[in-house]
Amino acid sequence: DAEITQSPRHKITETGRQVTLACHQTWNHNNMFWYRQDLGHGLRLIHYSYGVQDTNKGEVSDGYSVSRSNTEDLPLTLESAASSQTSVYFCATSRAGQETQYFGPGTRLLVL
Amino acid sequence: EDQVTQSPEALRLQEGESSSLNCSYTVSGLRGLFWYRQDPGKGPEFLFTLYSAGEEKEKERLKATLTKKESFLHITAPKPEDSATYLCAGGSMDSNYQLIWGAGTKLIIKP
């Protein structure tokens, strides 16, 4: 069955360290999204991609970067982790031309 | 500015007590109103998409309806396993396949 996997599922890091969260999908969907979810804020879009070599900034992109070298993967990098980036991170995908998004299981990140 | 607002923030019901969750939206050129279910520690799970006012969709004890200003998720005779956070989101003609998310309603069904 097609799926979206995220790794690691849990991560503890220190402020200032670079951290990369992985997202891998076997849906063969063109569109991929990274969100963070915090109490009181709901889902907020960090970065998104509509295909290989395409990346775009979302509403909360400062301190994050992504790259898309193939259809299956969209890794999210925190360049220099800050305590404000403690959150749960979700990767989602959708078919080209469609809005319905399918989500991965999430990564819980704690920055100390 | 496009916006999606859900109410209430939390809802506690007894098993079997029917109720409704509200999702109000101001989205230019709505391209679908989406409902998701999220269980603790998991990613959101897609439930329904509604495209036009008057449309209804059902799944087990859940029925979603849509008007020009809001959507309702009706829960009939809920069971404890229906406990979850329910999220709604709007797709806009202007947002290029992104979704505008509400903050969610946490539903707790007591046995």
Side-chain angles (χ1 to χ4, degrees):
Chain A
D1 286 348
E3 62 178 347
I4 302 168
T5 56
Q6 293 187 235
S7 61
R9 294 295 313 280
H10 302 272
K11 175 79 176 178
I12 301 174
T13 191
E14 296 176 345
T15 56
R17 290 190 179 267
Q18 185 180 80
V19 176
T20 296
L21 309 182
C23 174
H24 179 79
Q25 55 117 347
T26 58
W27 285 101
N28 200 33
H29 286 172
N30 280 45
N31 304 336
M32 297 185 73
F33 306 84
W34 272 106
Y35 293 93
R36 60 178 290 174
Q37 187 175 43
D38 306 286
L39 282 174
H41 286 282
L43 288 165
R44 290 185 290 175
L45 184 63
I46 305 171
H47 281 284
Y48 57 101
S49 168
Y50 292 134
V52 176
Q53 303 300 330
D54 175 74
T55 61
N56 306 278
K57 294 181 178 181
E59 62 177 309
V60 290
S61 61
D62 287 349
Y64 303 94
S65 63
V66 293
S67 62
R68 185 95 180 264
S69 59
N70 58 52
T71 300
E72 294 81 17
D73 300 288
L74 187 69
L76 177 71
T77 297
L78 286 68
E79 305 293 347
S80 177
S83 57
S84 60
Q85 294 177 309
T86 291
S87 188
V88 181
Y89 291 85
F90 288 103
C91 177
T93 71
S94 67
R95 290 189 181 92
Q98 296 190 15
E99 283 88 356
T100 304
Q101 295 181 14
Y102 300 91
F103 284 79
T107 293
R108 188 173 295 271
L109 177 68
L110 176 59
V111 183
L112 298 175
Chain B
E1 180 184 352
D2 292 336
Q3 194 169 2
V4 173
T5 304
Q6 292 187 249
S7 62
E9 289 186 13
L11 182 62
R12 293 174 184 269
L13 300 172
Q14 289 295 131
E15 184 174 1
E17 181 185 1
S18 301
S19 188
S20 298
L21 311 183
N22 178 265
C23 174
S24 299
Y25 64 91
T26 51
V27 175
S28 56
L30 186 74
R31 284 174 54 117
L33 191 291
F34 299 79
W35 282 98
Y36 286 77
R37 170 188 170 128
Q38 186 175 22
D39 292 302
K42 296 189 176 182
E45 176 187 353
F46 172 70
L47 291 172
F48 307 110
T49 309
L50 303 167
Y51 290 103
S52 57
E55 188 176 1
E56 299 183 353
K57 287 193 176 174
E58 290 188 60
K59 181 179 181 179
E60 296 181 355
R61 294 175 292 283
L62 301 177
K63 183 169 78 172
T65 62
L66 183 66
T67 73
K68 290 185 177 180
K69 293 183 179 180
E70 55 194 348
S71 178
F72 294 93
L73 185 65
H74 307 278
I75 303 174
T76 302
K79 298 181 178 181
E81 53 263 41
D82 295 320
S83 297
T85 295
Y86 291 86
L87 304 173
C88 77
S92 166
M93 296 281 282
D94 298 332
S95 67
N96 203 14
Y97 310 115
Q98 299 167 46
L99 294 178
I100 301 136
W101 293 89
T105 293
K106 184 174 183 179
L107 178 65
I108 300 169
I109 308 299
K110 296 183 176 181

